Amino acid sequence: MQDQDFRNKDARYYMPVFSRDMMITRGQGSRVWDADGKEYIDCVAGIAVCSTGHCHPDVVSAICEQSRQLIHCSNLYYVPHQADLAEKLSHITGLARVFLCNSGTEATEGALKLARRVTGRRSFIAFSHGFHGRTMGGLAVTHKPGIREPFEPLEPKCAFVEYGDSESLRKAINHDTAGVVVEPVQGEAGVIIPPPGFLQEVREICDENGALMIVDEVQSGMGRSGKWLAIQRSSVQPDIVTLAKGIASGFPMGALVAREGIEFRKGDHGSTFGGGPLACAAALATIKVIETVLPTIPQKAERFQEAFTAYDPRVFGLLIGITVGEKCAAIQQQCRKNGVLINCAADGNIRLVPPLVITNEEIDRAVQVIDEALGAQGLHR
Ligand SMILES: Cc1ncc(COP(=O)(O)O)c(C=O)c1O
């Protein structure tokens, strides 16, 4: 289809919620190609989704094989691969029980319901600049006023406190707080790393007040930080962890994983598609691939860190942020022109979330292009 045709059709028939102006038609590893056949190194990776790169052969095989056996059967029956995946997720998170859904926001919804169910309390606390999803519950605990306020009143009730400020959390928490929802590193905000000790303090404040600590690892989890979970870079044990994005290499899936004793009762929760055979097969294959690349993540992160030192980057494994202010869009455009896809997160921050399988050569090429674009905007410090 000609470029202008799909633009026109999209403009005519698709709700105008997204800003976009190119189509990616093919991907392999850390490379993608647009509708004109132009190649890019993909430092967006579906926004931290394509963890194993595009179309990893093991993931493709798992999906193809499973699709020849059974595509869907309902959770009325035991689902092929589901218990194997639950076991795997329990092992890699160090938690006990799993519920599978289809997206990050659904994982948030499940976590909020579960916290209410277990504590018998109603309200939540979340943090400034935090992002937890776009459905009503996910939005209720998402900070950004511009995307939340048009849809108020929202449930559950949520108070927001400054990310990194444990004293404010201590003041805000009360006997009705079911849970505190926190990202161990804030992705949508532009890769904001909390001050040392903050997550431990959140843990302690939750314990002192009988609230659950819900750690959103939708973006930071599944190996991106160099550990299976970003929270595992501290010694903090969460009560509930949410996962999605990188869990199944782009096949839609979300999960919540909770510690022993925190679980839904029969009939409390459910999902038609959640934990279906194809998604579980894709996730199991994805985890196998991540197991092999996980030890390489710190070295790759270091390579980005060294290359970008002049720009004060925030590097948390392969979750990398650089503050560039209003020049973000121009830098993104220049990178794209020169064959590298990057993304602008909130508040003028470049965010890089490449596939975990990105090679050193690809990192070097991407860094060169990004460095040139930053330099062209006079950002070299
Ligand atoms: C930390 C975090 N939580 C939740 C979500 C929502 O995930 P989804 O878009 O799959 O609903 C996102 C998406 O960007 C996220 O980054």
Side-chain angles (χ1 to χ4, degrees):
M1 194 193 280
Q2 290 303 303
D3 196 52
Q4 203 50 48
D5 285 348
F6 65 66
R7 281 168 205 266
N8 291 344
K9 213 175 255 194
D10 185 83
R12 167 70 182 84
Y13 291 107
Y14 204 85
M15 292 196 191
V17 287
F18 302 112
S19 308
R20 50 193 175 192
D21 63 354
M22 73 182 278
M23 182 187 270
I24 295 171
T25 53
R26 190 162 71 84
Q28 191 180 20
S30 300
R31 312 280 172 130
V32 290
W33 287 263
D34 70 14
D36 299 323
K38 180 173 162 146
E39 179 181 315
Y40 304 85
I41 296 176
D42 186 6
C43 290
V44 179
I47 315 188
V49 166
C50 307
S51 49
T52 59
H54 294 276
C55 305
H56 190 288
D58 296 355
V59 178
V60 172
S61 292
I63 293 171
C64 289
E65 263 167 47
Q66 185 53 47
S67 69
R68 278 191 283 269
Q69 295 290 323
L70 184 70
I71 290 176
H72 181 73
C73 61
S74 163
N75 284 305
L76 289 172
Y77 310 99
Y78 291 118
V79 177
H81 310 301
Q82 200 182 75
D84 292 335
L85 177 60
E87 180 186 36
K88 245 324 179 206
L89 290 174
S90 154
H91 286 168
I92 65 182
T93 59
L95 296 165
R97 294 265 196 163
V98 174
F99 180 86
L100 297 169
C101 53
N102 309 285
S103 65
T105 199
E106 267 183 74
T108 304
E109 297 289 336
L112 298 176
K113 274 180 74 175
L114 183 55
R116 273 191 167 177
R117 175 50 115 184
V118 168
T119 63
R121 299 171 175 196
R122 284 172 305 180
S123 64
F124 289 84
I125 300 178
F127 293 94
S128 57
H129 308 292
F131 185 89
H132 304 288
R134 297 278 201 158
T135 53
M136 291 304 218
L139 207 48
V141 294
T142 285
H143 177 244
K144 197 174 179 182
I147 63 171
R148 178 170 40 82
E149 285 173 358
F151 302 98
E152 289 180 337
L154 294 165
E155 269 290 318
K157 218 195 268 145
C158 181
F160 293 97
V161 300
E162 197 62 28
Y163 189 59
D165 180 358
S166 49
E167 274 321 299
S168 296
L169 174 62
R170 204 179 285 286
K171 284 187 196 131
I173 202 163
N174 62 41
H175 59 273
D176 193 41
T177 307
V180 175
V181 188
V182 63
E183 290 166 86
V185 46
Q186 291 185 321
E188 294 303 295
V191 190
I192 309 301
I193 301 168
F198 171 64
L199 296 167
Q200 183 63 45
E201 284 158 8
V202 173
R203 174 71 276 176
E204 286 163 15
I205 294 166
C206 285
D207 287 344
E208 287 159 18
N209 291 276
L212 300 187
M213 182 174 182
I214 301 167
V215 175
D216 183 335
E217 295 264 6
V218 166
Q219 188 159 156
S220 58
M222 298 311 294
R224 183 152 295 280
S225 70
K227 302 274 186 191
W228 283 105
L229 302 178
I231 194 85
Q232 290 168 340
R233 286 177 51 159
S234 72
S235 56
V236 173
Q237 298 284 334
D239 297 306
I240 303 174
V241 160
T242 55
L243 296 165
K245 287 195 181 279
I247 194 171
S249 297
F251 202 97
M253 173 172 262
L256 57 128
V257 195
R259 73 170 163 77
E260 197 66 58
I262 296 183
E263 59 189 48
F264 285 121
R265 298 177 211 162
K266 207 171 279 296
D268 273 351
H269 202 45
S271 168
T272 294
F273 293 118
L278 282 179
C280 289
L284 280 170
T286 297
I287 290 171
K288 258 198 183 154
V289 176
I290 297 176
E291 277 166 353
T292 67
V293 292
L294 198 56
T296 70
I297 304 303
Q299 169 267 321
K300 290 174 183 173
E302 187 57 32
R303 209 171 180 93
F304 276 109
Q305 172 76 53
E306 275 174 19
F308 288 136
T309 302
Y311 305 106
D312 289 336
R314 297 176 299 281
V315 178
F316 204 90
L318 289 182
L319 186 50
I320 297 149
I322 302 175
T323 301
V324 297
E326 60 195 14
K327 293 170 173 169
C328 210
I331 292 163
Q332 187 183 12
Q333 276 305 327
Q334 179 167 342
C335 288
R336 183 168 131 190
K337 196 166 126 261
N338 293 324
V340 175
L341 297 182
I342 65 168
N343 164 250
C344 293
D347 302 327
N349 287 298
I350 284 177
R351 172 179 47 182
L352 308 178
V353 276
L356 306 185
V357 297
I358 192 168
T359 63
N360 285 339
E361 293 69 35
E362 287 164 337
I363 292 174
D364 293 347
R365 174 71 193 134
V367 157
Q368 187 192 345
V369 166
I370 296 165
D371 186 43
E372 276 166 21
L374 290 164
Q377 295 296 328
L379 285 160
H380 194 89
R381 293 197 178 96

